[in-house]
């Protein structure tokens, strides 16, 4: 409150002095109430809030001393300026000992009156501000302590909302985390409308929010509560990004001091939410790692059991086994060993990629050459399955920016999968075309097959580690379920994207992009020819 608009209580049994003081103080802009004696003053003090008392000392029945004593007893720290005659200097000293802030000698000179009142009020507001600040610091400390007791995001959101509602007397509100253009509600208070409605509103809030706290009249068509008049939007900012948002609908605007408090509080909330987020991430990462280890050991078990069992059979029953059986068992052992070997290679790739030790040798390379090398390697597999391979590669292609070995690995995985998951006599088509990305030209490579396709429920899992479709047509074929996961990482590491379309029982098309070297003169002629 401005000192000028302060409310002053004048207590004097002399009507003339009361009127004279009232007239002056009203003229200076103060709000006034008068009392003709100490008893009336004490009564008024119980009913109303005053910023200053001008108190006559010598009054009949209840005098100024008694008023001061009662104020002291009630622990009321309202400033009191006592008014005394020149002859009452001793009384003034006693009043000051009783807690009076200052004194005025009667007759009161106009300018001294004005100066003393102003000075007393200044001091009062300074003290009040300090007091508020101390209380806020205490409260902040209390909130921080409570926020520090949990690393659970939902709990942090609920605690946050509890405190800000308490501080602002909000009728309704919510805490939400910003996810793109939307807010995910984390905690709600007093919402009369359906949560869906609040979510729509929240989107508005995201749009409206600046990096700073705002208090505005609540929009007519978007109230969270029918009696709300004002809305506070408190963005929770970390590293200049808005991560969360507190939206509060209030019955009346809150003062600047509350806004300032909320601004301070938001930095504490940001830290608590960040810690909770980090904790959740670490837990998730731990879970992923545990699952990964469990899956690896599971994947190792089958081939190892096969190797152990068939080695035992060969060891103990060699003489009773026909040469064909012996060869068959050796084949099973070799297959098991190859499976473990492949798994080890793939795990090595994954570890290197995840620990950031994976080094790519990016160079300007001719895609058709890499494709030709891959097809030569896969030729026996494709021939054995009597599959045809069709190529649709433009004659002139610019060089691509890629690691030749890793581009070969991507192509091998996709073409080998197309062959593995396509019945005998099926067709595989590899095509390439140039396309313009937002920033640069890309080469898009498609590997299409006429195979078993991917069931709709499997589509979201296809690039996950160890995923293999639960389908006899898949389980009869050897595989680790790591190929596509690695392929995706390799494509993305080289600046491209990977995806697929598939129709169950009809076939799939896997596609990926790879950056192209911009200059025209790098164009090379396709050197790859269909194998079959
Ligand atoms: P793997 O082939 O070793 O099982 P991948 O990660 O390469 O591992 O593939 C994961 C799974 O995705 C396969 O087990 C299969 O179920 C499915 N899949 C991959 N490519 C195809 C394809 N071209 N057609 C149908 N299913 C496929």
């Amino acid at each position: 409150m401005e000192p000028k608009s302060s409310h002053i209580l004048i207590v004097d049994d002399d009507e003339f002095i009361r009127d004279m003081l009232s007239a002056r103080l009203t003229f200076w802009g103060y709000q006034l109430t008068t009392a003709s004696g100490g008893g009336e003053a004490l009564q008024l003090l119980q009913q109303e809030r005053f910023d200053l008392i001008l108190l006559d000392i010598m009054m009949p029945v209840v005098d100024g001393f008694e008023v001061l004593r009662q104020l002291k007893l009630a622990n009321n720290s309202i400033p009191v300026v006592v008014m005394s005659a020149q002859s009452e200097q001793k009384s003034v000293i006693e009043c000051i000992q009783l807690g009076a802030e200052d004194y005025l000698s009667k007759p009161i000179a106009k300018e001294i009156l004005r100066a003393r009142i102003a000075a007393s009020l200044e001091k009062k507001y300074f003290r009040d501000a300090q007091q508020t600040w101390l209380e806020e610091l205490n409260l902040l400390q209390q909130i921080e302590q409570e926020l520090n007791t949990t690393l659970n995001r939902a709990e942090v959101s609920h605690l946050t909302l509890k405190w800000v509602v308490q501080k602002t007397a909000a009728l309704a509100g919510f805490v939400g985390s910003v996810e793109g253009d939307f807010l995910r509600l984390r905690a709600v208070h007093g919402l009369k409308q359906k949560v869906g409605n609040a979510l729509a509103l929240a989107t508005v809030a995201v749009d409206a929010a600046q990096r700073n706290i705002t208090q505005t009249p609540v929009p007519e068509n978007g109230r969270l509560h029918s009696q709300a008049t004002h809305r506070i939007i408190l963005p929770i900012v970390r590293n200049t990004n808005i991560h969360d948002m507190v939206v509060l609908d209030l019955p009346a605007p809150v003062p600047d001091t509350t806004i300032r408090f909320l601004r301070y509080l938001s930095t504490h909330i940001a830290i608590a939410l960040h810690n909770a987020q980090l904790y959740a991430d670490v837990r998730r990462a731990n879970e992923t790692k545990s699952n990964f280890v469990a899956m690896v050991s599971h994947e190792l078990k089958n081939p190892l059991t096969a190797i152990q069992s068939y080695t035992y059979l060969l060891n103990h029953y060699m003489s009773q086994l026909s040469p064909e059986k012996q060869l068959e068992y050796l084949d099973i052992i070799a297959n098991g060993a190859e499976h473990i070997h492949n798994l080890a290679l793939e795990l090595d790739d994954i570890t290197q990629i995840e620990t950031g030790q994976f080094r790519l040798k990016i160079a300007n390379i001719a895609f058709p050459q890499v494709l030709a090398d891959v097809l030569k390697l896969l030729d026996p597999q494709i021939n054995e399955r009597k599959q045809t391979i069709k190529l649709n590669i433009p004659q002139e292609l610019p060089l691509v920016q890629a690691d030749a070995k890793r581009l070969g690995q991507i192509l091998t995985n996709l073409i080998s999968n197309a062959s593995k998951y396509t019945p005998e006599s099926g067709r595989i088509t590899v095509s390439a075309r140039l396309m313009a990305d937002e920033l640069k030209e890309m080469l898009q490579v498609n590997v299409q097959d006429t195979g078993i396709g991917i069931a709709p429920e499997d589509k979201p899992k296809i690039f996950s580690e160890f995923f293999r479709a639960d389908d006899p047509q898949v389980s009869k074929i050897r595989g680790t379920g790591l190929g596509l996961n690695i392929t995706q990482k390799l494509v993305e590491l080289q600046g491209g994207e990977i995806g697929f379309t598939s129709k169950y029982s009809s076939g799939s098309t896997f596609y990926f992009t790879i950056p192209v070297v911009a200059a025209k003169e790098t164009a090379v002629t396709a050197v790859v020819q269909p194998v079959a």
Side-chain angles (χ1 to χ4, degrees):
M1 193 195 273
E2 278 292 302
K4 267 284 176 193
S5 52
S6 308
H7 192 180
I8 299 176
L9 175 64
I10 299 169
V11 192
D12 205 306
D13 58 334
D14 185 331
E15 191 181 353
F16 172 75
I17 294 187
R18 283 202 309 271
D19 289 349
M20 183 271 290
L21 287 173
S22 291
R24 284 203 176 145
L25 296 187
T26 310
F27 182 72
W28 290 334
Y30 294 112
Q31 202 189 323
L32 284 182
T33 300
T34 57
S36 57
E40 192 188 345
L42 288 171
Q43 232 172 19
L44 281 167
L45 280 162
Q46 281 182 359
Q47 296 156 6
E48 275 182 74
R49 224 187 57 85
F50 297 97
D51 298 299
L52 180 73
I53 307 176
L54 289 181
L55 180 67
D56 185 23
I57 303 177
M58 295 307 171
M59 291 181 291
V61 195
V62 180
D63 59 14
F65 298 117
E66 187 53 26
V67 172
L68 283 168
R69 261 183 232 112
Q70 293 294 330
L71 282 175
K72 204 169 186 178
L73 273 179
N75 229 347
N76 192 336
S77 61
I78 176 170
V80 180
V81 176
V82 289
M83 299 179 287
S84 65
Q86 284 289 356
S87 54
E88 298 167 351
Q89 286 309 307
K90 258 189 156 159
S91 316
V92 168
I93 295 169
E94 196 181 338
C95 284
I96 287 177
Q97 280 164 347
L98 279 170
E101 167 136 346
D102 209 341
Y103 70 97
L104 288 162
S105 299
K106 290 179 183 173
I108 301 168
K110 199 169 88 180
E111 287 316 315
I112 292 184
L113 173 69
R114 193 171 187 172
R116 295 251 157 105
I117 288 178
S120 285
L121 286 172
E122 284 287 342
K123 272 190 265 175
K124 175 189 188 281
Y125 290 117
F126 185 66
R127 272 199 309 265
D128 283 357
Q130 253 186 338
Q131 187 57 31
T132 315
W133 187 225
L134 271 178
E135 280 166 12
E136 284 181 354
L137 273 182
N138 272 337
L139 186 59
L140 269 180
Q141 211 171 17
Q142 201 182 334
I143 298 175
E144 199 181 5
Q145 266 169 10
E146 209 173 321
L147 287 175
N148 282 345
T149 58
T150 177
L151 281 168
N152 179 311
R153 216 182 183 300
E155 268 177 46
V156 173
S157 304
H158 281 110
L159 283 175
T160 297
L161 195 58
K162 179 190 94 175
W163 284 111
V164 293
V165 164
Q166 192 172 314
K167 187 74 190 163
T168 59
L171 298 165
F174 56 80
V175 176
S177 51
V178 179
E179 293 182 0
D181 287 344
F182 283 88
L183 273 186
R184 179 194 291 271
L185 288 193
R186 300 282 185 180
V188 294
H189 163 76
L191 283 187
K192 284 258 153 65
Q193 304 172 26
K194 288 201 184 85
V195 170
N197 235 350
L199 265 179
L201 264 165
T203 317
V204 177
V206 177
D207 289 343
Q210 298 149 14
R211 243 144 263 283
N212 228 327
I213 180 169
T214 54
Q215 176 170 241
T216 51
V218 82
E220 257 321 306
N221 56 354
R223 284 170 212 275
L224 297 177
H225 192 283
S226 56
Q227 273 139 43
T229 62
H230 283 73
R231 169 167 299 165
I232 287 179
I233 298 177
L234 176 65
I236 311 294
V237 181
R238 212 174 53 239
N239 296 337
T240 71
N241 292 325
I242 301 175
H243 286 261
D244 295 85
M245 187 93 65
V246 182
V247 179
L248 301 167
D249 275 11
L250 317 166
V254 295
D256 288 351
T257 47
T258 306
I259 296 286
R260 186 189 61 192
F261 176 80
L262 292 178
R263 193 178 299 123
Y264 281 119
L265 182 60
S266 75
T267 56
H268 294 262
I269 298 170
I271 294 168
L273 285 172
H274 184 49
N275 287 344
Q277 185 62 47
L278 285 180
Y279 182 67
D281 291 349
V282 168
R283 272 186 58 165
R284 207 170 311 121
N286 254 341
E287 260 166 40
T288 312
K289 276 280 164 282
S290 305
N291 289 343
F292 188 79
V293 171
M295 280 196 279
V296 171
S297 70
H298 174 82
E299 287 299 315
L300 284 172
K301 246 179 235 156
N302 285 345
L304 270 177
T305 311
I307 292 171
Q308 276 173 333
S309 319
Y310 287 95
T311 318
Y312 180 87
L313 285 177
L314 285 173
N315 245 341
H316 291 81
Y317 302 101
M318 180 84 101
S319 55
Q320 295 157 42
L321 293 170
S322 66
E324 291 79 30
K325 270 284 164 217
Q326 290 176 17
L327 278 178
E328 188 191 322
Y329 289 0
L330 279 173
D331 214 30
I332 294 172
I333 293 170
N335 277 343
E338 192 192 329
H339 185 89
I340 294 174
H341 178 72
N342 287 340
L343 196 64
L345 289 178
E346 289 177 329
L347 287 175
D348 197 37
D349 276 350
I350 289 182
T351 315
Q352 283 198 26
I353 292 170
E354 289 196 346
T355 54
Q357 287 165 6
F358 195 79
R359 294 281 168 265
L360 286 168
K361 289 192 198 112
I362 300 285
N364 296 348
I365 56 171
F367 169 76
Q369 185 58 58
V370 180
L371 178 61
D373 293 345
V374 168
L375 289 177
K376 209 177 286 169
L377 261 175
L378 292 175
D379 190 27
Q381 177 185 335
I382 293 167
N383 271 343
E384 194 190 322
R385 295 176 66 76
K386 301 184 188 66
Q387 291 160 334
T388 45
I389 187 142
K390 210 174 150 244
L391 299 175
N392 195 357
I393 313 292
Q395 280 296 306
E396 289 257 307
L397 271 185
L399 296 177
V400 293
Q401 281 180 316
D403 178 319
K405 183 176 158 202
R406 298 306 177 175
L407 178 58
Q409 193 175 343
I410 294 167
L411 283 168
T412 307
N413 271 334
L414 294 183
I415 299 171
S416 159
N417 274 356
S419 165
K420 284 194 306 187
Y421 304 113
T422 297
E424 289 201 352
S425 311
R427 196 178 65 240
I428 301 162
T429 311
V430 182
S431 50
R433 69 184 177 99
L434 279 177
M435 52 177 277
D437 191 45
E438 279 164 14
L439 299 170
K440 50 159 67 174
E441 254 194 328
M442 306 289 277
L443 183 72
Q444 179 174 323
V445 182
N446 288 6
V447 180
Q448 189 184 7
D449 64 52
T450 55
I452 60 173
I454 296 160
E457 67 272 20
D458 287 342
K459 286 183 175 175
K461 303 177 237 166
I462 213 83
F463 292 107
S464 321
E465 286 158 349
F466 294 109
F467 173 77
R468 303 205 75 211
D470 188 12
D471 181 326
Q473 298 189 85
V474 171
S475 32
K476 72 176 184 203
I477 292 161
R478 253 187 301 139
T480 58
L482 288 173
L484 281 180
N485 179 266
I486 296 173
T487 303
Q488 182 184 39
K489 287 174 175 145
L490 291 177
V491 169
E492 287 170 1
L493 279 172
Q494 295 181 76
E497 284 172 13
I498 188 166
F500 69 94
T501 55
S502 183
K503 200 159 173 233
Y504 192 50
S505 298
S506 299
S508 315
T509 303
F510 279 81
Y511 53 86
F512 68 94
T513 56
I514 209 93
V516 157
V517 180
K520 273 262 186 299
E521 58 268 25
T522 59
V524 292
T525 307
V527 291
V528 63
Q529 294 300 322
V531 175

